[in-house]
Amino acid sequence: DARSTDSKDSIDMTQTIQNGINSLENLFAVNTFRIPQYQRAYSWEEDPHLEAFLDDLRQQVNTQQKSKDKSYFLGTLLLHEEDVGQGRNVVNIVDGQQRMTTSVVFFATALALHRDKKMAFTSENPALLRRDFVNDEVTASQKFKTIAEDEPFFQSEILGISSATCTVDSPSSRRLKMAAEYFSRHVKPEEWEPLICALRTAKVMVYAVTSAEDATQIFELQNDRGKS
């Protein structure tokens, strides 16, 4: 039940994420993220969501060619910091998971194409992108986890950090696969680096809470709209 919390969740902890505007790369550099189980699964479709996501990135690249100081605003994130023991925090994405998931899929797709020699990096650092957005091998930290049902598929087929063979057995895993394939088909090799730069430097408005009760209540207020 999303409304129930144990005693650990109810205890306020020191907030490490600063509320306000931050860049996507700064957030990922120092945090690991996951989708809490009360969230819905990945739901974005090619039309209109992925098309709009890619169009927005392309428009930002064009804008930055004229005005380098013009920032790209990716949206607002509602985050819940949770103490998981041994001095480690994990950040639950309460609102904004579709954009965050798609962003990680975008970075992972670029890295997979680079690995398969279908595109080359010249100005971006693939090792740094992998460390920040996919898997930090030094700390053994997977940077982003989706819902538990899709996580084995996400690890092996999207992030490429597991050798296990997973079938596409849920509507959301099919959408994750579709998103990776969409970017592979529709982003030209020479487009990848400017688009990656626009996305990793994108600005987000962050609102973080340290209470699971607060996070769940805000999520329900944002998403229920008075429905059961």
Side-chain angles (χ1 to χ4, degrees), residues 57-75:
L57 281 178
R58 284 176 170 145
Q59 289 178 21
Q60 177 60 17
V61 168
N62 292 333
T63 299
Q64 286 181 335
Q65 288 174 349
K66 302 171 186 175
S67 175
K68 292 188 179 297
D69 295 331
K70 185 73 172 176
S71 297
Y72 172 46
F73 182 63
L74 191 59

Side-chain angles (χ1 to χ4, degrees), residues 16-205:
T16 59
I17 295 180
Q18 297 300 310
N19 290 334
I21 295 176
N22 209 329
S23 70
L24 199 62
E25 63 182 347
N26 286 346
L27 277 178
F28 269 89
V30 295
N31 297 291
T32 58
F33 297 91
R34 71 181 177 190
I35 306 302
Q37 280 304 107
Y38 57 78
Q39 273 274 27
R40 61 178 177 166
Y42 186 66
S43 64
W44 272 17
E45 302 281 357
E46 181 174 319
D47 179 15
H49 308 105
L50 299 177
E51 291 178 358
F53 181 89
L54 188 53
D55 285 346
D56 284 349
L57 281 178
R58 284 176 170 145
Q59 289 178 21
Q60 177 60 17
V61 168
N62 292 333
T63 299
Q64 286 181 335
Q65 288 174 349
K66 302 171 186 175
S67 175
K68 292 188 179 297
D69 295 331
K70 185 73 172 176
S71 297
Y72 172 46
F73 182 63
L74 191 59
T76 300
L77 299 176
L78 174 60
L79 307 174
H80 165 221
E81 290 187 79
E82 184 178 354
D83 184 350
V84 293
Q86 298 180 334
R88 294 190 306 116
N89 290 355
V90 69
V91 182
N92 296 299
I93 302 174
V94 182
D95 201 32
Q97 75 118 322
Q98 304 295 331
R99 282 164 288 144
M100 291 282 271
T101 305
T102 304
S103 297
V104 172
V105 171
F106 189 84
F107 291 123
T109 302
L111 290 167
L113 291 171
H114 172 70
R115 180 197 63 210
D116 296 338
K117 302 187 185 307
K118 295 180 179 179
M119 60 88 75
F121 285 105
T122 56
S123 57
E124 293 290 326
N125 185 331
L128 191 59
L129 287 172
R130 181 174 176 79
R131 187 196 73 185
D132 285 350
F133 294 103
V134 176
N135 189 51
D136 186 341
E137 295 179 357
V138 174
T139 60
S141 300
Q142 181 180 329
K143 301 299 289 185
F144 183 94
K145 293 184 178 182
T146 188
I147 61 169
E149 292 82 352
D150 290 336
E151 183 58 21
F153 176 85
F154 189 66
Q155 288 180 344
S156 62
E157 304 302 319
I158 303 299
L159 300 183
I161 61 175
S162 168
S163 58
T165 301
C166 295
T167 57
V168 182
D169 57 2
S170 70
S172 48
S173 62
R174 283 193 289 272
R175 292 188 189 100
L176 288 166
K177 179 177 169 54
M178 177 188 65
E181 291 176 344
Y182 176 83
F183 294 137
S184 295
R185 291 195 314 269
H186 291 277
V187 178
K188 299 175 183 177
E190 65 273 16
E191 283 188 297
W192 276 107
E193 286 197 301
L195 293 175
I196 285 171
C197 181
L199 183 57
R200 68 174 174 77
T201 60
K203 304 298 183 186
V204 288
M205 176 63 75

